[in-house]
Amino acid sequence: AAVTPRVKMKNLFWQKIPDAKVGRTVWKELTDDGIELPIDALEDAFGAKVSAAPAAAEKVKVERKGPVMLCDPKRQQNVGIALARFRMPNDAIVAALLAVDTKLLPGEKVASLINMQPTKEEEAMLGDYEGDKAQLGKVEKFFLALMRVPRLGGRLTAMQFKLRFSDQVEVAHTNLTAIAKCCEVMGTAESVKTALQYVLAVGNYLNGGTARGGAYGYKLDVLTKLANLKAADNKTSLLHFLARVAKDAKAGPASKMLRLIDDLAPMEVAKNLSWGDVTSGVGALRAQLGALNHEIEMLAASEEADQDVDQFCPKMGPFAASAESKISELEALVASTSDEYAALAKGFSEDPKSTPPEGFFGVISEFASQFKTCLAENEALRIKEAKA
């Protein structure tokens, strides 16, 4: 309840819950009606001290007061440390934000400002402060300065989006191109086709006369199991045998398998690319562009923004148009690459939904690596036997 103290008291800076919202909170029941306080003791402890006029014969002592700090001490420390690294006065930071100056505010400073910007609670607390603002602490003055920037949070996010955009587009394009290249290799490389044919022939021979024999095709996961099927010497494997067939073929058809290592090199990259991450990255760019366009619309219609000073719309408008074109190109590349991989996976009797590109190409990459190892081990054994 409202009350007027008998003497001037020290203030407790809190954020009041609006009267209209009290009915939906616990404060509807928790009132201060009927609460009896030891008023004399309260005034003695928290009454604002009034300095008595100094006697004529006494030397006047000037009481020095420290700055008024309203924010949480930990928040004070964190923002204070980050602010010290800026080496820019508050007005210069505000001017750079209004000018959307990414030279004065590069990526690391924008990221820092995103973490430093005042929360809604801190803005409300500073808005309720009725004292001398000149007496506020550095962090509080910094917050007050940032509060002069229209739509600060959205502006900072948009600036960060612009600063990171080129790198993110390049990474997404590179990753999608790598996956598309692997789809092309699997469909066109003669070394791959030859290896798959020889595995089919060897497998059917080994399984002849059994239910597993007479196969017209097989699941690709068997490629990584060839090294586990040991020969009679219990040292070499079926993959060593295929590597030897390829090496001994000279210029024969089997020799095409010797190009496997070079032809399948792109798989080494693709196996580490999560299709979900690649596509969600492009989706995130689209979402961020949507947020940027929203900020442009809101600031263009805002009465708070000084259109003669605020350069957000003039600078971000052309960037948004350029970003739209580049993101559309990426989305088209996602669609075409997805179609290419789906066709490839289905061609090998794999479900593209349950077997993403990284899983498919991971098997092929491991097979190529094992084949390379077997070639090297066969050669080492040949040299050893020649010396014997």
Side-chain angles (χ1 to χ4, degrees):
V3 62
T4 302
R6 298 177 301 189
V7 298
K8 186 174 178 61
M9 304 292 289
K10 292 183 177 180
N11 292 150
L12 172 62
F13 294 101
W14 58 18
Q15 184 184 355
K16 291 174 58 178
I17 295 177
D19 295 349
K21 294 184 178 180
V22 169
R24 300 192 298 272
T25 71
V26 297
W27 299 108
K28 181 179 180 181
E29 305 295 335
L30 302 179
T31 73
D32 59 359
D33 293 340
I35 299 297
E36 295 185 4
L37 296 173
I39 299 299
D40 291 339
L42 184 62
E43 290 181 347
D44 286 343
F46 297 99
K49 295 182 179 180
V50 179
S51 301
E58 293 180 357
K59 185 177 181 179
V60 177
K61 292 184 178 179
V62 179
E63 182 180 355
R64 295 185 178 274
K65 295 182 178 180
V68 177
M69 298 183 180
L70 307 179
C71 298
D72 174 80
K74 187 174 181 180
R75 175 78 161 148
Q76 286 273 358
Q77 181 182 27
N78 292 339
V79 175
I81 292 172
L83 192 56
R85 294 171 181 162
F86 257 69
R87 301 180 185 277
M88 291 174 66
N90 293 343
D91 288 343
I93 295 175
V94 169
L97 286 169
L98 292 173
V100 195
D101 191 334
T102 51
K103 290 184 178 179
L104 286 176
L105 297 177
E108 65 274 10
K109 286 191 174 180
V110 170
S112 183
L113 283 171
I114 288 175
N115 293 326
M116 293 162 62
Q117 64 181 310
T119 63
K120 294 296 183 184
E121 291 76 14
E122 289 165 342
E123 288 182 359
M125 179 174 59
L126 287 165
D128 291 341
Y129 179 70
E130 297 178 352
D132 183 0
K133 290 182 172 56
Q135 299 300 316
L136 289 172
K138 288 183 179 180
V139 171
E140 286 76 9
K141 288 179 179 177
F142 171 65
F143 284 169
L144 283 174
L146 291 186
M147 287 164 62
R148 305 201 314 260
V149 180
R151 300 188 65 81
L152 174 65
R155 181 184 302 259
L156 287 168
T157 301
M159 290 175 68
Q160 187 175 65
F161 171 52
K162 182 181 180 182
L163 285 163
R164 294 178 175 179
F165 183 73
S166 293
D167 288 343
Q168 290 178 330
V169 167
E170 182 178 356
V171 168
H173 188 274
T174 299
N175 291 342
L176 286 166
T177 302
I179 295 171
K181 177 64 176 177
C182 289
C183 292
E184 178 186 352
V185 168
M186 286 298 297
T188 61
E190 288 297 322
S191 61
V192 175
K193 295 178 181 179
T194 302
L196 295 176
Q197 289 174 315
Y198 270 83
V199 171
L200 178 62
V202 169
N204 272 331
Y205 192 86
L206 293 179
N207 293 329
T210 72
R212 294 189 180 90
Y216 292 99
Y218 50 85
K219 290 283 191 177
L220 294 185
D221 63 341
V222 75
L223 295 176
T224 60
K225 300 175 183 178
L226 302 178
N228 297 329
L229 182 56
K230 297 300 182 182
D233 62 8
N234 206 34
K235 295 179 181 179
T236 58
S237 67
L238 182 57
L239 191 56
H240 284 93
F241 174 82
L242 285 170
R244 187 163 62 251
V245 168
K247 189 71 173 178
D248 293 346
K250 306 299 182 182
S255 66
K256 294 178 182 178
M257 288 191 286
L258 297 177
R259 290 192 52 81
L260 270 176
I261 291 85
D262 290 336
D263 288 345
L264 295 181
M267 309 291 166
E268 191 66 23
V269 175
K271 72 175 184 180
N272 296 317
L273 299 176
S274 164
W275 179 251
D277 289 347
V278 172
T279 55
S280 65
V282 175
L285 290 175
R286 171 60 68 187
Q288 290 175 78
L289 178 58
L292 170 58
N293 285 325
H294 176 70
E295 289 301 319
I296 292 173
E297 292 175 7
M298 296 300 292
L299 279 167
S302 175
E303 296 181 358
E304 180 186 1
D306 185 343
Q307 303 299 339
D308 294 330
V309 176
D310 198 333
Q311 294 297 301
F312 187 86
C313 294
K315 288 189 176 181
M316 286 300 195
F319 165 70
S322 173
E324 171 64 41
S325 174
K326 293 178 180 179
I327 292 174
S328 294
E329 290 176 4
L330 283 178
E331 289 170 336
L333 186 55
V334 167
S336 63
T337 304
S338 178
D339 290 344
E340 290 173 18
Y341 173 68
L344 174 68
K346 291 176 182 177
F348 283 97
S349 193
E350 298 287 351
D351 182 357
K353 293 183 179 179
S354 60
T355 305
E358 61 268 25
F360 186 99
F361 298 130
V363 169
I364 304 302
S365 177
E366 185 178 353
F367 169 62
S369 177
Q370 291 176 345
F371 187 76
K372 181 180 180 180
T373 299
C374 288
L375 282 172
E377 290 176 350
N378 283 349
E379 180 62 14
L381 181 60
R382 185 192 68 78
I383 294 174
K384 182 179 180 181
E385 290 176 345
K387 292 180 178 180

